[in-house]
């Protein structure tokens, strides 16, 4: 069994909430990520899904130390990096990168595509073999861009092309681990498939590991080996992709899956759709017991009193007192 490339143990990230006024005081915490654990093996893709506001992007940014964790451990290649300083992290940045959600705002409009991709070499003081321009143009070609467009600006590219620029930038330093933070959610559906196929090819060619964050379960199905379903800062279910899609155990996973449209209209018509009542609770004041109890049709007394542990049920790990 190989050592996980990334392992997270009881990770928490709270954001302090200040009161309004001249003498503002901290009046509580937004518990964006509230004690989660998972691991990612070399060459594996872990899909992280859930509704908007459940803490998925915060997980991605915290494990890359763009946010400092409130508590818990982040272990990368067997080393605990939870308390690493910025200078220690700078050396690690060659091994871990991020592809951001919005291809429009993640690229500097005043810089050419060539200088955006080349910035990684400049920051890390790396001179690639054959020179920076050659390396950048090879990367552009690898992600499906025309190398001749090296001197163009981001506004001259479509959304899908801009996301390819972001992918090329993330690949420049030959990382081992990449967080894809909603990397396709801002793109048209036809372009999403192309970018997902590109990411899958790059993973296989370069032996990459991904944390693939998305709010759409149908998107992660095609690229993930395992899927973690998140709700209000907690992991509800974690299993391999076939188990999640064919035999989900957690009521929340079932509800998310029921919202994924089926390509067969006859099956779609017969299928029961689960509509969750109410909104996501305030992460600054999560419910006692199971965080899903305010919207769960199976909730009983124990669900309001005791927080369920993430325990093995068949081939899945499930945090539920009454799993399916």
């Amino acid at each position: 069994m190989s050592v996980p490339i990334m392992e997270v143990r009881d990770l928490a990230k709270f954001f302090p909430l200040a009161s309004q006024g001249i003498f503002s005081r901290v009046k509580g915490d937004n518990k964006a990520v509230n004690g989660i654990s998972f691991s990612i093996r070399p060459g594996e893709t872990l899909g992280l899904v859930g509704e908007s506001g459940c803490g998925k992007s915060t997980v991605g940014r915290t494990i890359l130390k763009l946010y400092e964790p409130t508590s818990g451990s982040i272990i990368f290649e067997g080393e605990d990096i939870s308390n690493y300083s910025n200078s220690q992290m700078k050396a690690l940045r060659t091994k871990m990168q991020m592809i951001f959600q919005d291809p429009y705002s993640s690229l500097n409009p005043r810089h050419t595509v060539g200088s955006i991709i080349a910035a990684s070499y400049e920051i890390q003081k790396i001179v690639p073999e054959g020179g920076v321009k050659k390396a950048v143009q090879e990367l552009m070609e690898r992600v499906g861009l025309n190398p001749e467009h090296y001197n163009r600006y981001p506004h001259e590219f479509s959304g899908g092309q801009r996301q390819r620029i972001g992918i090329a930038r993330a690949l420049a330093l030959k990382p081992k681990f990449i967080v894809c933070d909603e990397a396709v959610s801002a793109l048209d559906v036809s372009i999403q498939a192309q970018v997902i196929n590109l990411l899958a090819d790059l993973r296989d060619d370069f032996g990459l590991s991904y944390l693939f964050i998305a709010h759409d379960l149908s998107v992660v199905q095609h690229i993930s080996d395992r899927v973690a379903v998140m709700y209000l800062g907690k992991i509800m279910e974690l299993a391999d992709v076939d188990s999640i899609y064919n035999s989900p155990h957690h009521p929340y996973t079932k509800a998310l899956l029921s919202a994924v449209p089926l390509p067969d209209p006859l099956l779609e018509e017969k299928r029961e759709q689960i509509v969750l009542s109410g909104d996501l609770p305030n992460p600054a004041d999560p419910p006692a017991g199971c965080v899903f109890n305010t919207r769960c049709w199976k909730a009983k007394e124990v669900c309001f009193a005791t927080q369920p542990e993430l325990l093995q049920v068949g081939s899945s790990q499930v945090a539920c007192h009454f799993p399916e």
Side-chain angles (χ1 to χ4, degrees):
M1 194 74 172
S2 57
V3 174
I5 190 164
M6 174 63 74
E7 191 174 359
V8 168
R9 296 177 190 160
D10 292 322
L11 183 70
K13 176 59 186 172
F14 297 171
F15 295 97
L17 295 170
S19 58
Q20 300 297 313
I22 302 169
F23 305 106
S24 61
R25 298 189 305 276
V26 173
K27 58 169 188 176
D29 290 306
N30 182 332
K31 299 176 176 67
V33 179
N34 195 1
I36 67 167
S37 302
F38 62 82
S39 63
I40 302 171
R41 295 184 290 273
E44 183 185 38
T45 299
L46 177 69
L48 185 62
V49 296
E51 288 172 278
S52 296
C54 71
K56 307 182 301 293
S57 293
T58 304
V59 171
R61 289 165 185 255
T62 305
I63 65 176
L64 293 187
K65 296 271 287 175
L66 299 178
Y67 296 150
E68 284 299 318
T70 302
S71 63
S73 304
I74 305 162
I75 298 155
F76 181 71
E77 292 190 318
E79 290 283 318
D80 190 335
I81 64 169
S82 316
N83 298 312
Y84 271 27
S85 64
N86 286 340
S87 57
Q88 286 174 301
M89 282 308 300
K90 186 180 176 182
L92 267 187
R93 296 278 175 229
T94 57
K95 296 181 179 180
M96 44 167 62
Q97 286 291 317
M98 188 166 192
I99 299 166
F100 294 93
Q101 175 176 356
D102 188 357
Y104 293 89
S105 61
S106 63
L107 304 176
N108 190 327
R110 295 178 181 173
H111 290 188
T112 63
V113 167
S115 62
I116 287 169
I117 299 170
S120 305
Y121 299 125
E122 196 179 314
I123 291 163
Q124 294 287 350
K125 296 181 171 56
I126 292 170
V127 180
E129 196 179 327
V132 171
K133 183 173 181 179
K134 180 173 179 282
V136 169
Q137 288 186 316
E138 283 175 355
L139 276 170
M140 288 177 71
E141 192 167 16
R142 182 64 192 83
V143 299
L145 295 167
N146 188 339
E148 302 301 316
H149 296 163
Y150 178 87
N151 286 319
R152 289 193 178 184
Y153 288 86
H155 73 268
E156 298 177 77
F157 294 87
S158 68
Q161 288 172 322
R162 290 185 207 195
Q163 197 57 291
R164 289 170 191 266
I165 295 164
I167 293 168
R169 175 174 61 183
L171 285 175
L173 298 171
K174 298 183 176 154
K176 295 180 178 180
F177 175 68
I178 297 179
V179 172
C180 306
D181 182 16
E182 300 263 18
V184 296
S185 64
L187 307 176
D188 291 343
V189 174
S190 57
I191 307 297
Q192 282 186 2
Q194 293 175 19
V195 174
I196 288 171
N197 289 338
L198 171 66
L199 289 168
D201 289 344
L202 293 170
R203 176 192 61 191
D204 298 341
D205 291 352
F206 297 113
L208 300 169
S209 304
Y210 292 144
L211 176 66
F212 194 91
I213 297 167
H215 59 262
D216 187 344
L217 267 166
S218 60
V219 167
V220 299
Q221 183 175 7
H222 301 291
I223 194 169
S224 302
D225 299 299
R226 290 185 300 142
V227 176
V229 178
M230 201 169 168
Y231 182 83
L232 209 67
K234 296 274 188 191
I235 288 178
M236 301 283 102
E237 185 164 1
L238 175 59
D240 65 81
V241 72
D242 291 334
S243 298
I244 285 279
Y245 287 88
N246 297 328
S247 54
H249 293 287
H250 199 284
Y252 181 58
T253 311
K254 290 198 78 169
L256 285 182
L257 280 169
S258 80
V260 176
L262 295 174
D264 186 331
L266 293 174
L267 287 175
E268 180 68 41
E269 199 176 317
K270 291 176 191 169
R271 184 175 63 157
E272 177 202 2
Q273 185 156 6
I274 301 165
V275 179
L276 295 176
S277 58
D279 295 320
L280 202 70
N282 184 354
D285 186 24
C290 174
V291 289
F292 188 56
N293 61 31
T294 58
R295 302 171 80 189
C296 183
W297 61 95
K298 297 179 78 174
K300 293 187 171 62
E301 223 172 280
V302 66
C303 305
F304 294 91
T306 312
Q307 183 179 302
E309 301 272 325
L310 195 66
L311 299 174
Q312 202 75 30
V313 178
S315 59
S316 308
Q317 288 177 282
V318 188
C320 182
H321 293 298
F322 304 102
E324 299 283 325

